[in-house]
Amino acid sequence: MSDLIDLFRSLVLIPSPSLKEETVAKKICDILEQNHIDVSTDSYGNVYGKISATDSSKKPLLLTAHMDVVGDKSPVILHETDEIIETDKSRTLGADDKAGIACAITLAKWIKQNPTIKHGGLELLFTRDEEQGMSGAKNVNFNQLNSEYVIVLDADRLGDFQIAGAGFTDMSLKVTNTKGGHSGIDISDKTRLNAVKVLCEMVSEIPQGVFYENETGVVTSINVGSIVGGGIKNPDSKKQGNAFMSELSGLAMTNIINTDAYATYSIRSSDKKKENELTDKIKNIVSKYQQKYANLADIVVTFAEKMPPFEESSDKTLVNVGKKAGENLNIKMNITSFHAGAETHLYANKKNKNGALFKPVLMGAGNIYNMHSANEYVEKDSMEKSFNLLQEIFKLFNA
């Protein structure tokens, strides 16, 4: 069995749920020290590794992966065939993201074992708590990193090379302070607006679904998460989902003209200009109804960015290197955007020690199936090929 698979196996055997990564972090530090790779940790528990450049004319490269997994502290019992590694299905495997860690460390070991290779240096960063809140990456000392180019080894397929990712914005739409009244006696009074009706008028005009897409996939989308309004009596309930909605509807009071209504949305976009185009459209719709119902209702829309977008860089260095590496190894490269969040988003909006904006990509470290479940497994051959691809990228990056 290869050193890569041996290393991966040793890492996944160590349970490391979010914010309980100390044991696997020590294992990583020990491995790096044993291979004479500079290693340190920060005050938050993130692990840093560094191999100095052998050619100062070349640029350093940063590889990063996260140490935490979805799962608990229960023992990891592996089941293995010639093709795959999985657990006994009592818990998750943790290939997300220990496949990425194994690939990064194996590359670092190879570089140390071949000191005649001309390169600009390698930096390693293994973070805590990616799965729950990315608090590890949020506590990284970015201004201590020399690299400008970053490969985040956290995609789930061989050949994945994702160059942009959607940020996340919460949107809240509120209709309040309408006059209300009795749904029979006051129904003909034109000054008594039903807040739910006003809200639904706006919701019917606000886009839903894909707002913009291009050759890399969906760029900007919007999704309505909830609409809440009306008079509800005795709403105390432990039911969820459809059962709760059905119960809530049955408790609604239909003899009042509703005075309050709320809608919540999620907006995802990997292009801030397109997101602004969407939010401007929504603001114009809201403005129209604010004027239409002036002095009859308070209508407010707010936007709160939860995660900044990972926008595609105009610098194609890593993209070109990735394409060439795939061609050389006959590996199909899936150069796309992804409509979700990852640590790439934080890098894309931070600067390194020299004041340069990071230029990250998200790369697969193997074919990982059923992530975050007890049925998770990884194809061993795909991990080997992913490592070969990473090795070829490093060679071409330093050519």
Side-chain angles (χ1 to χ4, degrees), residues 6-60:
D6 283 343
L7 173 58
F8 171 73
R9 189 188 297 108
S10 71
L11 292 171
V12 295
L13 282 171
I14 303 172
S16 56
S18 299
L19 298 176
K20 296 180 180 179
E21 307 93 346
E22 293 83 359
T23 305
V24 78
K26 185 179 185 307
K27 174 75 172 180
I28 291 168
C29 289
D30 289 344
I31 293 170
L32 295 179
E33 287 177 354
Q34 290 163 10
N35 286 274
H36 309 291
I37 298 166
D38 291 341
V39 61
S40 63
T41 58
D42 61 24
S43 59
Y44 199 74
N46 297 309
V47 177
Y48 300 77
K50 184 177 181 180
I51 298 176
S52 298
T54 58
D55 185 340
S56 60
S57 69
K58 301 181 185 300
K59 292 188 175 183

Side-chain angles (χ1 to χ4, degrees), residues 248-295:
L248 202 61
S249 178
L251 293 171
M253 299 176 67
T254 60
N255 64 347
I256 63 171
I257 299 171
N258 298 311
T259 58
D260 304 280
Y262 306 83
T264 57
Y265 285 79
S266 66
I267 295 174
R268 298 179 185 269
S269 183
S270 56
D271 185 324
K272 201 63 180 178
K273 289 183 179 179
K274 287 298 179 182
E275 180 177 340
N276 290 340
E277 183 180 323
L278 171 59
T279 56
D280 285 345
K281 181 180 181 72
I282 294 168
K283 289 174 183 177
N284 287 336
I285 292 170
V286 171
S287 178
K288 180 177 72 173
Y289 284 94
Q290 286 172 332
Q291 294 175 40
K292 180 178 179 180
Y293 297 121
N295 302 318

Side-chain angles (χ1 to χ4, degrees), residues 132-376:
Q132 286 190 351
M134 297 190 192
S135 64
K138 290 174 182 176
N139 282 278
V140 163
N141 299 318
F142 291 102
N143 59 7
Q144 292 185 10
L145 297 170
N146 292 296
S147 300
E148 180 179 348
Y149 298 95
V150 184
I151 298 178
V152 179
L153 292 161
D154 194 20
D156 63 353
R157 290 294 184 272
L158 166 65
D160 276 358
F161 212 71
Q162 296 171 326
I163 59 176
F168 186 85
T169 296
D170 279 340
M171 175 185 130
S172 175
L173 181 60
K174 301 177 183 180
V175 179
T176 57
N177 294 328
T178 56
K179 193 173 182 180
H182 190 283
S183 64
I185 297 170
D186 299 315
I187 199 69
S188 63
D189 185 345
K190 302 300 182 185
T191 69
R192 299 177 189 272
L193 298 181
N194 188 306
V196 173
K197 174 64 165 59
V198 175
L199 182 74
C200 288
E201 288 180 42
M202 290 185 288
V203 168
S204 68
E205 290 192 39
I206 292 171
Q208 165 62 32
V210 176
F211 180 73
Y212 179 76
E213 59 185 326
N214 60 20
E215 68 281 357
T216 68
V218 177
V219 173
T220 306
S221 70
I222 180 171
N223 183 66
V224 59
S226 67
I227 296 176
V228 181
I232 305 296
K233 61 180 180 180
N234 304 322
D236 183 31
S237 176
K238 294 183 179 179
K239 294 181 180 179
Q240 297 183 1
N242 290 335
F244 175 67
M245 296 294 288
S246 177
E247 181 179 54
L248 202 61
S249 178
L251 293 171
M253 299 176 67
T254 60
N255 64 347
I256 63 171
I257 299 171
N258 298 311
T259 58
D260 304 280
Y262 306 83
T264 57
Y265 285 79
S266 66
I267 295 174
R268 298 179 185 269
S269 183
S270 56
D271 185 324
K272 201 63 180 178
K273 289 183 179 179
K274 287 298 179 182
E275 180 177 340
N276 290 340
E277 183 180 323
L278 171 59
T279 56
D280 285 345
K281 181 180 181 72
I282 294 168
K283 289 174 183 177
N284 287 336
I285 292 170
V286 171
S287 178
K288 180 177 72 173
Y289 284 94
Q290 286 172 332
Q291 294 175 40
K292 180 178 179 180
Y293 297 121
N295 302 318
L296 297 177
D298 290 334
I299 301 172
V300 177
V301 62
T302 58
F303 302 91
E305 184 179 79
K306 298 300 182 181
M307 177 179 289
F310 160 33
E311 297 189 85
E312 182 178 351
S313 174
S314 60
D315 186 327
K316 303 302 178 186
T317 300
L318 284 179
V319 173
N320 293 335
V321 166
K323 285 180 178 178
K324 182 62 176 175
E327 290 173 5
N328 290 351
L329 298 178
N330 197 30
I331 294 174
K332 181 182 178 182
M333 300 299 288
N334 304 309
I335 299 175
T336 59
S337 63
F338 62 106
H339 213 55
E343 290 182 337
T344 45
H345 295 56
L346 299 178
Y347 289 104
N349 292 278
K350 296 289 186 179
K351 294 181 179 180
N352 69 3
K353 184 176 182 178
N354 302 310
L357 199 65
F358 290 105
K359 298 170 179 63
V361 298
L362 190 73
M363 178 177 163
N367 292 332
I368 304 169
Y369 298 91
N370 307 319
M371 286 196 309
H372 299 181
S373 80
N375 293 314
E376 181 185 2

